[in-house]
Amino acid sequence: MPAVAFKELPDLARVWIFASDRPLHDTESAALLAEVDAFLAQWKAHGAPLRSARDWRDARFLVIGVDPTAEQASGCSIDVLFRGLQSLERSLGTSLVGGGRVFYKDAAGAPRMAPRKDVPGLFATGAMSGDTIVFDTSITNAADFRDRFEQPAKESWVGKLVATAAGR
């Protein structure tokens, strides 16, 4: 089943958000998306095609979605997706699948990445505040992605992380 436009996925679609440690240049983005599009065009679960889509934002965020009303992604099909992206990481020289990272907009509005452990220090120095926009890469469905992928830190798990670190 060919991939569809991301906006065609229902709100209950399962999503995975992958984030690059650094912005990808146009040629890198094009190479990544060509590989992802080819993968999605043939992606299957137990031999059944998956109705899937992808979104690409800010030269950093790859969102893959699967419509569960057509077919559910299986553990094996999800593993194949992750292995494929890990293979692409090496050729792109970035991490897409890694955890322990926080993505936020700097004062100029550019997406940045910081190791999770460094976030309390960014708040302490004023590089981040409760109003800093963060990207929630832990979202797992299309509705939440559409509604709150970008939100102020104080309204996200990042705000709770900082409050906990500060003993509040």
Side-chain angles (χ1 to χ4, degrees), residues 13-83:
R14 173 72 166 98
V15 300
W16 296 267
I17 302 171
F18 303 96
S20 175
D21 286 346
R22 62 175 181 80
L24 299 183
H25 301 291
D26 290 344
T27 55
E28 294 170 318
S29 293
L32 170 67
L33 297 177
E35 290 286 333
V36 168
D37 289 346
F39 175 81
L40 295 180
Q42 60 76 43
W43 197 17
K44 296 178 180 176
H46 302 293
L50 294 173
R51 184 171 187 260
S52 58
R54 59 104 172 140
D55 193 11
W56 179 240
R57 296 206 178 170
D58 299 314
R60 261 199 146 114
F61 302 104
L62 173 65
V63 185
I64 305 284
V66 173
D67 180 353
T69 64
E71 186 68 40
Q72 294 279 353
S74 66
C76 293
S77 65
I78 296 166
D79 287 346
V80 171
L81 169 65
F82 276 74
R83 281 194 307 271

Side-chain angles (χ1 to χ4, degrees), residues 90-146:
R90 290 185 285 281
S91 66
L92 294 171
T94 190
S95 176
L96 294 166
V97 180
R101 304 170 301 166
V102 173
F103 293 86
Y104 65 97
K105 286 187 179 181
D106 66 15
R112 300 283 181 210
M113 186 278 299
R116 183 178 173 151
K117 66 178 180 52
D118 294 351
V119 171
L122 292 171
F123 272 80
T125 64
M128 288 181 77
S129 73
D131 293 324
T132 298
I133 299 299
V134 296
F135 300 92
D136 189 345
T137 59
S138 69
I139 288 171
T140 60
N141 68 63
D144 287 344
F145 175 72
R146 291 174 179 128

